Amino acid sequence: MNKLLVLFAGVLMSTSSFAMSGSYGVSTDYMWRGQTQTDHGMHANLSLKQDLGGGFYGGAWTGNVEVNGTQELEMDFYGGFTKMKGDFWVDAKYVAYRYTGESVTDFEERIVSVGYNAFSYGKAHGIEEALNYEWYELKLPFIKWADVTLHSGEWENGLDNKSVKLNWSLTDDLTLGMMVMSHIRDDNMRTGDAISFHLKSKF
């Protein structure tokens, strides 16, 4: 797998003729699929995405996490294919999650998602012993004062979560967001609902 990641990084570096995009941001919490990844603490992240042409793409994302009181760095590497036709779209990608410390085990997923208009469905298939995760999302385009998305997801072990995401475009490249999530867990213990604010800039 490490050789594959090195090859993937080389592809990103050698395809400068295609469009590359990126973003960086900060948030008051890093909440992912119903669990805080920073013990409800501050989070910063950076991402790069390379358009490879023909619907194919690759990218990387990195941000800080806190696991059992230990600060670590999460690094995600992904590659995939997306296709749109009218209001219908489909996306398939492979993601490798890597961590700098020993508190979290590295893992991989195959993720397939489809959408039509304001509705989308997705499923992450965990490789080897990683758990599967399934979710539904619905955007509310009739709300004009913010971009609002409802999310409902469930792990294969029965743990579920629901969230409401709101985003406001401050400029063409700067977005202010808020996430209200229920059934938040911290180290697999439910801690109730939580709210996170984030600021994201594209470049």
Side-chain angles (χ1 to χ4, degrees), residues 37-59:
Q37 304 294 298
T38 52
D39 193 21
H40 300 297
M42 292 296 296
H43 168 72
N45 61 74
L46 171 70
S47 69
L48 292 172
K49 184 177 181 179
Q50 178 75 61
D51 178 8
L52 302 176
F56 292 93
Y57 62 86

Side-chain angles (χ1 to χ4, degrees), residues 32-35 37 97 107 109 123-126 129-135 152-161 183 185 188 190:
W32 184 73
R33 298 181 184 174
Q35 184 162 347
Q37 304 294 298
Y97 301 86
F107 67 100
E109 290 182 328
K123 187 169 185 179
H125 300 265
E129 297 182 3
L131 294 177
N132 296 335
Y133 182 78
E134 187 175 22
W135 72 91
S152 178
E154 183 176 4
W155 293 93
E156 66 173 305
N157 60 6
L159 293 176
D160 65 326
N161 70 90
H183 297 169
R185 298 186 304 280
N188 293 320
R190 290 191 183 274

